[in-house]
Amino acid sequence: MVSVYKSLSKPQSAPNGVSREANGDPKSGKKQTAGTRNKQRVLILSSRGVTYRHRHLLNDIHALIPHSRKDAKLDTKSKLYELNELAELYNCNNVFFFEARKGKDLYLWMSKAPNGPTVKLHMQNLHTMEELHFTGNCLKGSRPILSFDKAFDGQPHLRVIKELLLHIFGVPKGARKTKPFVDHVMGFTLADGKIWIRCYQVNETEASRQKAEGNDPADHMPRASSTTAGGKDTEIQLVEIGPRFVLTPIVILEGSFGGPAIYENKEFVSPNQVRSELRRKKAGTYASRNEGDVERDVKRGELGLKTQGGRRKERGELDNAALFG
């Protein structure tokens, strides 16, 4: 199948035996191509301190991007500019870096090496393929259809993020380890200031078979009808594959892992600050409870209800000690 596809994709020759693309200057011997070739290669790696869920998510993304190169963990978290040298060493022009902090938080760096720009995002609600147990599946090495929300074209920083996602997740035609098939869709939706990423399989079934089954577990999936070359009606539906995760933009740098910040999300709240507020709230509850206990002891002492400490209760005429003493 691949050999047939390659033979059909070769440039056709003109009647005189000269290729249509070989219309350049005969003196220089250069050929003018119809369009520039999209050469994209992604370097995928993580920092020290990632958990097993982060590692499994990294493996799932590496399986979905056939034009990627996976490398070992990076030892440093402060000298991220060293990633430019690694990208140059492995002949990559895109960097997809996972930065783990405190074994809980996961940050994603997407950069266009070596000149930038760079986007830092906070990754939340991540679920790997093993956790989801979805029925969808796709061919390893196939090319995806990238579906972006219309809101990505509304603001400049979202257009920058969209372009980076296109270069990283968009598999070039004829890239190494790719297969000439398109059988899955990656959706990028913008909601609540976050980017929601999902991956679906394009499942095509015959309409008669679909009606015969009746109880399909994927009835809630979006469908579309089409007609094949043989005249048979088919139904196309999307079945989720996984993984799924949510990205929150934090900052966009002009250079590759450096340079001035051209965008900063003022509404982003750090997870450290959220945990600090929760601890402070618990500490305030404990302090108010202790203050109540102290006030209660003082009041009991003033009323003379404590056996030790506080003001002693005055002895009256009807006291036991006065009557029977």
Side-chain angles (χ1 to χ4, degrees):
M1 187 68 183
V2 178
S3 60
V4 175
Y5 174 79
K6 289 184 178 179
S7 63
L8 293 176
S9 62
K10 287 182 179 179
Q12 299 178 0
S13 58
N16 56 359
V18 182
S19 175
R20 293 180 180 178
E21 296 182 356
N23 297 324
D25 189 3
K27 295 182 180 180
S28 61
K30 295 181 179 179
K31 297 180 181 180
Q32 295 178 354
T33 57
T36 57
R37 184 179 178 183
N38 184 18
K39 294 182 179 180
Q40 301 294 334
R41 189 166 171 83
V42 185
L43 176 64
I44 298 180
L45 72 165
S46 64
S47 66
R48 297 286 180 183
V50 292
T51 62
Y52 72 97
R53 298 181 71 246
H54 301 163
R55 188 174 63 256
H56 290 178
L57 178 64
L58 189 69
N59 294 333
D60 293 343
I61 295 177
H62 175 60
L64 290 175
I65 308 177
H67 63 293
S68 61
R69 169 57 160 88
K70 187 179 176 183
D71 196 23
K73 297 179 181 179
L74 189 68
D75 292 331
T76 179
K77 294 182 181 180
S78 59
K79 301 177 182 179
L80 295 183
Y81 56 85
E82 295 180 357
L83 291 171
N84 295 324
E85 300 177 2
L86 285 175
E88 184 180 1
L89 180 64
Y90 294 118
N91 195 20
C92 298
N93 53 0
N94 299 282
V95 180
F96 197 84
F97 177 64
F98 277 8
E99 181 185 2
R101 295 204 174 262
K102 296 185 177 180
K104 303 176 182 178
D105 307 326
L106 184 63
Y107 295 93
L108 173 63
W109 292 81
M110 296 189 304
S111 175
K112 191 71 180 174
N115 299 322
T118 304
V119 180
K120 181 181 180 182
L121 308 103
H122 181 224
M123 187 175 289
Q124 296 173 295
N125 301 335
L126 55 95
H127 300 280
T128 61
M129 292 183 183
E130 294 182 357
E131 295 175 354
L132 296 174
H133 298 290
F134 282 136
T135 58
N137 194 7
C138 66
L139 185 66
K140 186 174 182 180
S142 60
R143 301 174 62 203
I145 298 175
L146 302 183
S147 174
F148 287 90
D149 195 349
K150 188 179 179 181
F152 276 95
D153 299 329
Q155 300 181 16
H157 71 280
L158 294 178
R159 290 198 293 268
V160 173
I161 297 175
K162 176 183 177 181
E163 193 68 21
L164 280 173
L165 292 173
L166 275 172
H167 290 184
I168 291 176
F169 289 98
V171 181
K173 183 178 181 180
R176 182 172 173 265
K177 295 183 180 180
T178 58
K179 296 179 177 60
F181 303 104
V182 178
D183 59 354
H184 63 285
V185 180
M186 293 196 69
F188 302 89
T189 308
L190 193 66
D192 299 332
K194 305 179 190 306
I195 303 172
W196 304 70
I197 299 180
R198 301 290 185 268
C199 187
Y200 300 93
Q201 173 199 0
V202 181
N203 189 16
E204 185 176 358
T205 56
E206 296 182 5
S208 59
R209 182 180 178 183
Q210 192 75 18
K211 292 179 181 179
E213 292 178 358
N215 51 358
D216 188 5
D219 286 338
H220 62 281
M221 295 296 177
R223 298 180 179 179
S225 60
S226 63
T227 305
T228 59
K232 296 182 179 180
D233 294 335
T234 59
E235 290 187 357
I236 300 175
Q237 61 182 0
L238 299 180
V239 183
E240 188 167 359
I241 304 172
R244 53 165 61 173
F245 50 92
V246 182
L247 302 176
T248 305
I250 302 176
V251 67
I252 300 179
L253 305 178
E254 184 177 359
S256 181
F257 298 101
I262 58 178
Y263 170 78
E264 185 177 358
N265 189 4
K266 301 295 184 180
E267 298 179 356
F268 175 73
V269 181
S270 174
N272 292 330
Q273 186 175 354
V274 174
R275 288 191 290 267
S276 177
E277 292 292 338
L278 293 175
R279 287 194 298 267
R280 191 177 292 110
K281 185 178 180 180
K282 291 182 180 179
T285 305
Y286 178 74
S288 61
R289 190 185 303 118
N290 286 344
E291 290 178 0
D293 294 341
V294 171
E295 292 178 359
R296 191 180 303 108
D297 291 341
V298 171
K299 186 178 291 186
R300 288 174 61 87
E302 291 177 354
L303 295 176
L305 301 177
K306 294 184 65 177
T307 57
Q308 296 180 357
R311 185 177 63 87
R312 290 188 177 184
K313 187 177 180 181
E314 297 180 358
R315 182 178 298 180
E317 297 178 357
L318 298 178
D319 190 66
N320 293 334
L323 293 175
F324 303 104

